[in-house]
């Protein structure tokens, strides 16, 4: 991975799962951006992947390609080892990053294109074959960047050899020259490795864009995925968010993610607690709680965990990472049924509310893709007592059990909250509770009301908050105060609003120029005729937090409800998000469900 400013930022694209849509990009040869495509399904079905930074500069480091290859082979490198370690992490794919700007631009496969290290032994091919036998996929990392061509005082790129190959002078140390060289490598890899599953690309290169690289990949290998690091480039299938820190709690990585569901999204993070992304000679510790917490909280947000481990020259992981993998296998085995085949709860797919709960508790929720009444609570930080309280999001609860033991737990439900009591066996990392429901109750049907706004950006009307489609949303056109008014068409009981804001910004003030674009101060009014509103029935402040947020109201029977947003959390220093409000969905609750304890 490269740690430098990103040059291009594409617009996000999203679509409902299993629906296929397209958008065109401007240009003489328009790229087609498949928002959701059957080729993506294997990654949507995955929860995790294993990232492998491994190349010539892996400690102790080599300047001779043949010497590095000999050390790898003599050390006993085995593709099967990587695949087995990935399976311990319950990963479904591997990303090989040897053609990396900080690792000597090493191509761990034979190539007819001179210009940087290329091995005679086909390590890439062996990895693809070994992974395929175990039902795993392999993606290949490709960099756009020549700036580290002389990293460590050695010139890693051979412009003279590539120029002779092309029959004209090409300087590989320039962006344009390197863009041409890497373009040729893309094409060669596509030809030689049909069983590869795609490219994981670090940024863009203008040469690629100007010469239609992505269009060629789509044409030649339509079943391959394209992933991009830290940029939401429209033609890419996946956006990968590189490791971020500063969240509270630290494991809640999704707070730092700015790509809204249902965009296919990764969170890429290191397992070693310190050091480089690649093996630099140290056996760094792995924080078990932090790593498992990240994996689980990502799953609770429908985000894929791309976990980076630092393979040594012989391919083996340092002992502390290998030990963690062994722990992860036994630990995840016991709870995998609550993660596999699920989506994150409280966002675009329904489910109970995630985030901060009672008495210091924090966690995420998941919901089965095939059974919308099967929910799981993942308590990553336990409460101070033996009781857990979460918002029910309108679901009527019929039973709660400890997922590991099957023990039935006592619960009560009322005023929009599910309270589970008598929990004594808190797990140190993730207490998983299985929650059965009988569907949602007390929700005003979206089709029985309309929504209008005081201001809307073109193409993003207030009606989008009622259409149930997370591809559409209301945009306030940077007008604050912003109002959205609901006409229920007849007088109904009104008890609460459930608001899903678009997850297009981080959920906390990471810096002066990157802040949360979420509702801060608000007020709610009700009316019988849509003209006379009177004083607000509720005023308050919503937290800058991800997931569905609730506004409880005094009991009233009215036809009209108006939500006024007076301010958002983004400061004026964040010019992209200041006063900008995007809302995916608003549900109106006419009453609170009551469960059967």
């Amino acid at each position: 991975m490269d740690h430098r400013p990103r040059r291009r930022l594409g617009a996000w694209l999203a679509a409902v799962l299993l629906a296929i849509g397209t958008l065109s990009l401007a240009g003489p040869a328009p790229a087609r951006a498949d928002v959701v495509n059957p080729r993506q399904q294997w990654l949507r079905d995955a929860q995790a992947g294993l990232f492998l930074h491994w190349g010539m500069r892996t400690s102790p480091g080599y300047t001779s390609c043949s010497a590095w290859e000999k050390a790898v082979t003599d050390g006993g490198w085995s593709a099967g080892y990587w695949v087995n370690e990935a399976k311990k992490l319950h990963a479904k794919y591997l990303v090989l990053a040897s053609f990396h700007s900080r690792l000597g631009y090493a191509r761990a496969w034979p190539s007819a294109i001179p210009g940087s290290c290329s091995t005679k032994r086909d390590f890439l091919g062996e990895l693809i074959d070994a992974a395929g036998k175990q039902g795993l996929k392999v993606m290949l990392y490709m960099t756009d960047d020549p700036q580290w061509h002389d990293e460590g005082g050695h010139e890693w790129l051979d412009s003279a050899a590539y120029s002779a190959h092309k029959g004209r002078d090409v300087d590989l140390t320039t962006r344009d020259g390197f863009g041409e060289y890497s373009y040729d490598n893309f094409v060669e890899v596509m030809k030689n490795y049909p069983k590869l599953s795609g490219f994981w690309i670090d940024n863009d290169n203008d040469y690629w864009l100007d010469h239609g690289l992505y269009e060629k990949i789509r044409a030649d290998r339509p079943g391959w995925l394209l992933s991009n690091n830290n940029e939401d480039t429209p033609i890419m299938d996946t956006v990968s968010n590189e490791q971020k820190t500063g969240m509270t709690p630290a494991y809640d990585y999704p707070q730092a993610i700015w790509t809204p569901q249902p965009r296919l999204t990764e969170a890429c993070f290191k397992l070693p607690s310190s050091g480089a992304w690649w093996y630099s000679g140290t056996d760094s510790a792995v924080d078990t709680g932090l790593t498992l917490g990240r994996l689980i909280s990502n799953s609770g947000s429908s985000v894929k965990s791309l976990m980076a481990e630092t393979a040594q020259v012989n391919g083996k992981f340092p002992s502390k990472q290998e030990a963690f993998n062994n722990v992860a296998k036994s630990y995840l085995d016991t709870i995998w049924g609550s993660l596999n085949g699920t989506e994150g709860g409280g966002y675009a797919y329904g489910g109970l509310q995630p985030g901060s709960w009672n008495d210091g508790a924090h966690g995420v929720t998941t919901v089965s893709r095939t059974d919308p009444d099967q929910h799981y609570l993942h308590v990553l930080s336990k409460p101070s007592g033996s009781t857990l309280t979460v918002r029910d999001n309108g679901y009527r609860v019929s039973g709660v059990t400890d997922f590991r033991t099957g023990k039935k737990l006592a619960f009560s439900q009322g005023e929009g909250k599910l309270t589970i009591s008598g929990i004594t066996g808190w797990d140190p990392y993730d207490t998983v509770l299985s929650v059965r429901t009988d569907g949602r109750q007390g929700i005003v049907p979206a089709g029985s009301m309309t929504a209008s706004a005081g201001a809307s950006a073109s193409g993003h009307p207030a009606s989008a908050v009622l259409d149930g489609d997370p591809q559409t949303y209301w945009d306030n056109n940077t007008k604050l105060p912003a109002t959205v008014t609901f006409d229920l068409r007849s007088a109904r009981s009104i008890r609460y609003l459930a608001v899903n804001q678009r997850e297009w910004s981080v959920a906390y003030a990471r810096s002066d120029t990157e802040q949360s674009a979420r509702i801060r101060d608000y007020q709610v009014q009700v009316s019988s005729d849509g003209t006379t509103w009177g004083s607000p029935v509720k005023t308050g402040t919503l937290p800058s937090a991800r997931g569905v947020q609730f506004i409880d109201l005094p009991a009233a029977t009215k036809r009209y409800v108006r939500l006024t947003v007076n301010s958002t959390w983004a400061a004026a220093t964040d010019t992209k998000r200041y006063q900008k409000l995007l809302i995916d969905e608003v549900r109106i609750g006419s009453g609170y469900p009551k469960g059967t304890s």
Side-chain angles (χ1 to χ4, degrees), residues 50 132 217 245 262 382 428 438 447 508 562 594-595:
L50 177 59
I217 295 172
T245 58
K382 67 179 182 179
D438 293 326
Y508 64 105
R562 174 176 290 170
K594 293 183 179 179

Side-chain angles (χ1 to χ4, degrees), residues 3 6 15 27 47 97 112 121 124 229-231 261 280 339 356 396 398 424 435 437 459 469 488 533 545-546:
H3 307 275
R6 310 303 177 195
Q47 296 293 346
R121 181 176 173 182
L124 173 60
N229 184 26
N230 283 333
E231 294 187 13
Q261 288 293 319
S280 58
L339 298 172
S356 296
R396 181 180 183 272
S398 58
T424 57
V435 178
T437 66
D469 182 357
L488 281 57
W533 291 95
R546 303 183 81 230

